[in-house]
Amino acid sequence: MSQAKTVVDNDALYVQRLTLGDYETNAYLLRCPATGAGVLIDAPDEPAYLTALVRGQTIKYVLLTHAHPDHIGALDAVRALGIPLGAHAGDSSGLSSPPEHVLEDGDQLRFGQLDLKVLHTPGHTPGSLSFLTGLHLFSGDTLFPGGPGRTASPRAFSSIIASIRDTLLPLPPQTVVHPGHGDATTIAEARAEHETFSDRIQPEGLYGDVLWSPAGKDKGNEI
Ligand SMILES: [Zn+2]
Ligand SMILES: [Zn+2]
């Protein structure tokens, strides 16, 4: 089931959220209103839908938050339109061919009059990236309302917590966080939730599907 929703619409930025596939994965189509130039963040499951949407538009890059199957089902079809891929090397083993642009922490990408900053936020996967433009953060499966993304080991859990604490939470509090599944949150809300978590004593070896608060909201079924 595909679902499109306009989540940002102002003079500086236009963003459509596309919820696609069995895991209700969010892709985001960002556009510069002044020039029409755009980028696509993630390419879930529905190739026919996504290629029809981006065909004929000036899409400078398709960018990956990470290479889990629910985020890349339509990637080859989108790349076949000639749109170059930007991804972190840490996730490239999940791809059918290497990205045209190997992205690293701190890289700046330009589309139209807009800049998009690349933040390396490992933990959910080694190559997980978040993308920041103005006060809008696209966090993939790293940060959700209610908790961090799922992790596969205690080490990965430490890594995702460090990414969130050291890279994402210091962003301006009014920054809107657009995750890879479900609805948006803000850095202010995530800071408050993280604080309740970091104030508690955690069981040793914690990982998996962790919520900031034991009574926290369900994050949905991200993988
Ligand atoms: Zn996911
Ligand atoms: Zn994932």
Side-chain angles (χ1 to χ4, degrees):
M1 257 307 283
S2 55
Q3 209 193 333
K5 186 183 174 193
T6 300
V7 291
V8 183
D9 188 2
N10 60 44
D11 291 349
L13 178 66
Y14 177 82
V15 181
Q16 241 183 335
R17 183 180 81 190
L18 313 157
T19 306
L20 305 168
D22 291 345
Y23 290 91
E24 301 189 345
T25 304
N26 292 330
Y28 295 92
L29 183 60
L30 283 60
R31 271 189 287 151
C32 164
T35 64
V39 299
L40 178 67
I41 297 179
D42 289 342
D45 221 18
E46 295 175 39
Y49 177 87
L50 266 186
T51 52
L53 192 76
V54 302
R55 201 188 302 267
Q57 296 201 44
T58 314
I59 306 296
K60 279 197 73 176
Y61 309 98
V62 52
L63 303 174
L64 274 197
T65 61
H66 64 296
H68 275 166
D70 61 317
H71 294 254
I72 61 169
L75 184 62
D76 287 344
V78 170
R79 293 177 80 184
L81 298 175
I83 302 172
L85 169 66
H88 192 275
D91 272 27
S92 59
S93 62
L95 303 174
S96 58
S97 61
E100 285 76 20
H101 301 278
V102 175
L103 301 179
E104 289 179 23
D105 188 59
D107 284 353
Q108 296 272 3
L109 303 169
R110 196 157 177 85
F111 64 104
Q113 300 175 350
L114 292 170
D115 284 316
L116 194 70
K117 188 175 182 189
V118 177
L119 303 171
H120 183 213
T121 48
H124 180 69
T125 63
S128 279
L129 296 175
S130 300
F131 300 100
L132 180 72
T133 185
L135 291 172
H136 293 277
L137 177 78
F138 299 86
S139 63
D141 287 1
T142 295
L143 179 60
F144 293 93
R150 187 171 298 165
T151 42
S153 68
R155 209 169 128 220
F157 184 71
S158 305
S159 167
I160 202 170
I161 293 300
S163 292
I164 292 169
R165 184 191 59 220
D166 303 338
T167 306
L168 301 185
L169 297 186
L171 296 172
Q174 67 273 37
T175 305
V176 181
V177 180
H178 304 274
H181 304 264
D183 288 325
T185 183
T186 62
I187 289 296
E189 205 175 323
R191 270 189 211 170
E193 290 175 329
H194 173 262
E195 206 172 292
T196 63
F197 171 82
S198 58
D199 283 352
R200 289 198 314 276
I201 296 171
Q202 302 303 333
E204 216 172 300
L206 186 64
Y207 73 98
D209 210 354
V210 176
L211 295 171
W212 294 135
S213 153
K217 281 183 273 180
D218 184 11
K219 292 184 281 117
N221 51 357
E222 96 270 9
I223 63 170

Tab-separated table of all heavy atoms in Angstrom, residues 66 68 70-71 124-125 141 181 222-223, ligand 2:
chain	number	residue	atom	x	y	z
A	66	HIS	N	20.182	3.593	5.058
A	66	HIS	CA	20.879	2.325	5.287
A	66	HIS	C	20.333	1.313	4.293
A	66	HIS	O	19.321	1.559	3.640
A	66	HIS	CB	20.728	1.835	6.731
A	66	HIS	CG	19.330	1.501	7.142
A	66	HIS	ND1	18.316	2.433	7.202
A	66	HIS	CD2	18.751	0.321	7.509
A	66	HIS	CE1	17.194	1.855	7.615
A	66	HIS	NE2	17.429	0.570	7.800
A	68	HIS	N	19.043	-1.829	4.569
A	68	HIS	CA	18.122	-2.931	4.885
A	68	HIS	C	17.122	-3.116	3.743
A	68	HIS	O	16.745	-2.144	3.074
A	68	HIS	CB	17.375	-2.642	6.198
A	68	HIS	CG	18.151	-3.071	7.409
A	68	HIS	ND1	17.823	-2.667	8.681
A	68	HIS	CD2	19.229	-3.885	7.531
A	68	HIS	CE1	18.681	-3.210	9.540
A	68	HIS	NE2	19.538	-3.948	8.869
A	70	ASP	N	14.006	-3.432	3.414
A	70	ASP	CA	12.754	-2.651	3.316
A	70	ASP	C	12.996	-1.216	2.842
A	70	ASP	O	12.046	-0.507	2.544
A	70	ASP	CB	11.983	-2.663	4.646
A	70	ASP	CG	12.754	-2.048	5.800
A	70	ASP	OD1	13.954	-2.332	5.924
A	70	ASP	OD2	12.148	-1.285	6.581
A	71	HIS	N	14.271	-0.800	2.754
A	71	HIS	CA	14.576	0.568	2.294
A	71	HIS	C	15.123	0.620	0.865
A	71	HIS	O	15.338	1.698	0.333
A	71	HIS	CB	15.573	1.244	3.253
A	71	HIS	CG	14.990	1.469	4.616
A	71	HIS	ND1	14.604	2.717	5.069
A	71	HIS	CD2	14.659	0.592	5.598
A	71	HIS	CE1	14.081	2.601	6.281
A	71	HIS	NE2	14.114	1.314	6.627
A	124	HIS	N	22.213	1.055	14.127
A	124	HIS	CA	21.187	0.208	13.505
A	124	HIS	C	21.850	-0.651	12.425
A	124	HIS	O	21.588	-1.847	12.309
A	124	HIS	CB	20.072	1.084	12.934
A	124	HIS	CG	18.976	0.322	12.278
A	124	HIS	ND1	18.090	-0.475	12.979
A	124	HIS	CD2	18.606	0.219	10.980
A	124	HIS	CE1	17.234	-1.032	12.132
A	124	HIS	NE2	17.525	-0.627	10.915
A	125	THR	N	22.709	-0.012	11.634
A	125	THR	CA	23.654	-0.699	10.745
A	125	THR	C	24.971	0.082	10.830
A	125	THR	O	24.966	1.239	11.254
A	125	THR	CB	23.187	-0.698	9.265
A	125	THR	OG1	23.132	0.661	8.808
A	125	THR	CG2	21.821	-1.357	9.087
A	141	ASP	N	16.398	4.541	10.287
A	141	ASP	CA	15.986	3.696	11.411
A	141	ASP	C	16.880	3.947	12.635
A	141	ASP	O	17.044	3.066	13.479
A	141	ASP	CB	16.020	2.211	11.019
A	141	ASP	CG	14.879	1.840	10.075
A	141	ASP	OD1	14.078	2.733	9.712
A	141	ASP	OD2	14.790	0.658	9.691
A	181	HIS	N	10.206	4.980	9.556
A	181	HIS	CA	8.876	4.367	9.716
A	181	HIS	C	8.086	5.269	10.658
A	181	HIS	O	8.640	5.775	11.640
A	181	HIS	CB	8.958	2.974	10.350
A	181	HIS	CG	9.841	2.030	9.587
A	181	HIS	ND1	9.356	1.143	8.665
A	181	HIS	CD2	11.192	1.872	9.605
A	181	HIS	CE1	10.356	0.463	8.142
A	181	HIS	NE2	11.499	0.883	8.705
A	222	GLU	N	9.772	-1.547	12.406
A	222	GLU	CA	10.930	-1.290	11.536
A	222	GLU	C	11.871	-2.488	11.552
A	222	GLU	O	11.915	-3.232	12.523
A	222	GLU	CB	11.681	-0.021	11.969
A	222	GLU	CG	12.884	-0.231	12.870
A	222	GLU	CD	12.548	-0.222	14.334
A	222	GLU	OE1	11.360	-0.218	14.685
A	222	GLU	OE2	13.485	-0.230	15.148
A	223	ILE	N	12.590	-2.652	10.446
A	223	ILE	CA	13.639	-3.683	10.448
A	223	ILE	C	14.941	-3.042	10.034
A	223	ILE	O	14.959	-1.909	9.616
A	223	ILE	CB	13.324	-4.890	9.537
A	223	ILE	CG1	13.212	-4.488	8.056
A	223	ILE	CG2	12.061	-5.559	9.979
A	223	ILE	CD1	13.142	-5.646	7.116
B	2	ZN	ZN	16.495	-0.880	9.127
